[in-house]
Amino acid sequence: MIYLDNHATTRVHPEVVEAMMPFFGEQFHNPSSGYRAGRSVKKAIAEARGEVAELIGAKEEEIVFTGCGTESNNMVLKSLARIYGRKSSTVITGVIEHSAVLRPVQAMEDVGFRVKRCGVDVEGRLRVAEFREVCEAAETGFASVMWANNETGVIQPVVGLCEVAREHGIAFHTDAIQAVGKTRVDVREVPVDFLSISGHKFHAPKGIGALYLREGVRFEPLIRGGGQEGGRRSGTENVPYIVGLGKAAELARKALEKDAHAGIAANRDHLEQRLVAEIDGVVLNGSRDHRVPTCAHVSFEGCEGAGLLILLDEAGVQVSTGSACMTGKQQPSHVQKAMGISDEQAKSSLRISLSQFTTREEIDEAVERIKKAVKKFRSVQGGSGVGPVVVYP
Ligand SMILES: Cc1ncc(COP(=O)(O)O)c(C=O)c1O
């Protein structure tokens, strides 16, 4: 099987598994226990925190471990909502956010918050000028804009947005879940106040995340209890997973330092070049210059993404449709709609996402199988490109 769905989740790195194992066995102790074994587990958590902090250029005490990326986003957004209140504040976000930001923001709007959603250009990047206008008009409030989009991999102009937010006294959160570990993210260079991380997007397991809180920012905990994580997220620590996240962060930092991600980008570019050269009616979506190295978002004229996904699965290639599949029916996603991509083109797209484990041989083999799947789909379709004739489960 050729796995090309790394924006959905990544394979856990064998060194991460190895690092986690002792904490399911011998080192099972509660990190709050005062005896030596407890203290040694506590030290392992501190080391993991140090690694996560180093990956993004933060201080150790600015990192809070969470249960997942969705939790990180909800924690910060709900805290900001409580701090700013709904009377005079504005919540500013982008139209292409993940549901882990869209939904909590929607819930705020439902209870009376003023919400402004900024649009994107054809390349899928937020319009800074529009963001500036919204900030200027807002009395006070907070903003949440993602670092890299999960569907297209397009990197947002976060530096510019942060600076505008700062000028206007607007607190700034970024969902960096598809960026951390894939591209350089450094909070010393980008003045975000809050940043969300998820382990399973860069070779740690699912169910572990982190939240960066810049020193001095105001924060209201969502989960209160025993005071773990400096009182910012109570609950006995998920030690093996925290250790796993620390190991994944260390591996990602070393890979980024060696520019190992250039190899992933080279494989992605090779994939795109071959698809464009060898299949008619292929369109590459999203910015070419501002994107993480792991993602290709491709439309195949006259095909339906959901159908191609099934044909490719049968042929041993795992990818995602380029747009969300709602109630079993392929719908153009909110991201593609926002980019002005036609419904037809959106529905015919695939998200093909790579990792450090993807080889050139796999890419070449995947291209051959995609060529066959597209040919098969188009022959069944009769080349008209209108109306699906294949029935999908
Ligand atoms: C941009 C983005 N935000 C948030 C999430 C949610 O992260 P988690 O699965 O860790 O809850 C994802 C996962 O797909 C994502 O891609």
Side-chain angles (χ1 to χ4, degrees):
M1 196 52 91
I2 301 174
Y3 183 68
L4 292 173
D5 198 17
N6 288 279
H7 275 211
T9 196
T10 56
R11 183 187 300 273
V12 182
H13 197 293
E15 284 185 48
V16 169
V17 178
E18 201 188 321
M20 291 171 69
M21 289 319 278
F23 298 91
F24 288 111
E26 282 291 284
Q27 291 183 263
F28 65 89
H29 305 85
N30 191 320
S32 298
S33 297
Y35 37 81
R36 278 172 297 165
R39 292 206 303 274
S40 138
V41 170
K42 195 174 189 159
K43 188 162 166 267
I45 294 181
E47 282 165 13
R49 198 184 308 282
E51 286 298 349
V52 174
E54 204 175 337
L55 177 63
I56 61 162
K59 297 178 191 145
E60 284 174 32
E61 54 282 9
E62 294 175 319
I63 302 296
V64 174
F65 291 115
T66 66
C68 59
T70 303
E71 184 183 313
S72 302
N73 285 348
N74 273 265
M75 261 168 71
V76 66
L77 291 169
K78 286 172 186 174
S79 161
L80 287 165
R82 278 197 299 273
I83 290 167
Y84 283 90
R86 72 188 124 176
K87 288 235 169 69
S88 54
S89 66
T90 306
V91 184
I92 307 165
T93 190
V95 286
I96 59 161
E97 294 297 313
H98 187 273
S99 49
V101 165
L102 289 179
R103 295 265 156 78
V105 167
Q106 182 62 57
M108 287 171 205
E109 195 167 32
D110 293 345
V111 296
F113 277 86
R114 192 179 316 120
V115 175
K116 296 281 177 202
R117 296 175 180 84
C118 299
V120 294
D121 59 21
V122 283
E123 297 206 323
R125 301 190 89 215
L126 211 83
R127 288 191 279 262
V128 182
E130 187 181 338
F131 183 82
R132 180 182 289 281
E133 274 168 33
V134 174
C135 285
E136 271 164 12
E139 235 174 84
T140 167
F142 56 96
S144 179
V145 178
M146 64 194 342
W147 195 297
N149 182 263
N150 44 299
E151 288 184 29
T152 59
V154 171
I155 293 178
Q156 301 304 313
V158 196
V159 187
L161 298 173
C162 265
E163 281 163 4
V164 172
R166 277 232 159 157
E167 280 168 33
H168 295 85
I170 303 276
F172 193 92
H173 164 249
T174 185
D175 170 347
I177 286 164
Q178 291 288 356
V180 170
K182 297 187 170 99
T183 187
R184 189 175 157 76
V185 171
D186 193 320
V187 296
R188 289 165 300 196
E189 293 163 5
V190 185
V192 294
D193 297 306
F194 308 91
L195 179 147
S196 299
I197 297 174
S198 175
H200 73 104
K201 306 296 185 183
F202 63 105
H203 307 292
K206 286 162 267 299
I208 181 71
L211 177 62
Y212 160 78
L213 303 170
R214 186 175 291 279
E215 193 174 25
V217 294
R218 281 178 71 196
F219 178 73
E220 281 280 323
L222 182 66
I223 301 175
R224 294 175 192 271
Q228 291 90 345
E229 297 296 305
R232 295 167 296 182
R233 200 274 193 181
S234 288
T236 303
E237 298 87 339
N238 186 357
V239 182
Y241 282 63
I242 289 174
V243 170
L245 180 61
K247 188 69 192 177
E250 179 199 333
L251 294 171
R253 174 178 52 81
K254 288 179 176 161
L256 284 162
E257 277 166 10
K258 282 193 297 191
D259 205 19
H261 289 68
I264 306 176
N267 276 341
R268 188 267 321 270
D269 294 347
H270 177 71
L271 168 86
E272 289 182 340
Q273 279 152 16
R274 280 203 61 189
L275 291 177
V276 170
E278 297 173 38
I279 306 177
D280 289 340
V282 166
V283 180
L284 306 176
N285 301 311
S287 168
R288 312 249 61 74
D289 301 328
H290 304 278
R291 54 182 178 155
V292 288
T294 43
C295 190
H297 194 282
V298 191
S299 295
F300 299 89
E301 199 184 292
C303 294
E304 200 190 39
L308 277 185
L309 182 146
I310 290 169
L311 289 178
L312 286 170
D313 187 23
E314 282 164 5
V317 182
Q318 293 164 326
V319 293
S320 261
T321 50
S323 55
C325 196
M326 290 176 212
T327 57
K329 202 169 175 283
Q330 182 82 5
Q331 299 285 346
S333 80
H334 66 292
V335 176
Q336 292 171 79
K337 271 188 176 293
M339 289 163 70
I341 295 176
S342 73
D343 286 6
E344 231 25 76
Q345 189 180 331
K347 284 192 229 172
S348 72
S349 61
L350 291 180
R351 178 185 70 182
I352 307 173
S353 51
L354 293 68
S355 82
Q356 57 176 280
F357 293 115
T358 312
T359 64
R360 184 57 69 100
E361 291 69 36
E362 284 181 313
I363 291 294
D364 282 324
E365 186 52 39
V367 170
E368 294 305 327
R369 295 183 199 178
I370 293 170
K371 275 160 67 177
K372 279 198 193 124
V374 170
K375 197 168 169 199
K376 191 167 171 183
F377 197 99
R378 284 178 178 163
S379 68
V380 178
Q381 198 83 330
S384 72
V386 181
V389 287
V390 184
V391 179
Y392 310 109

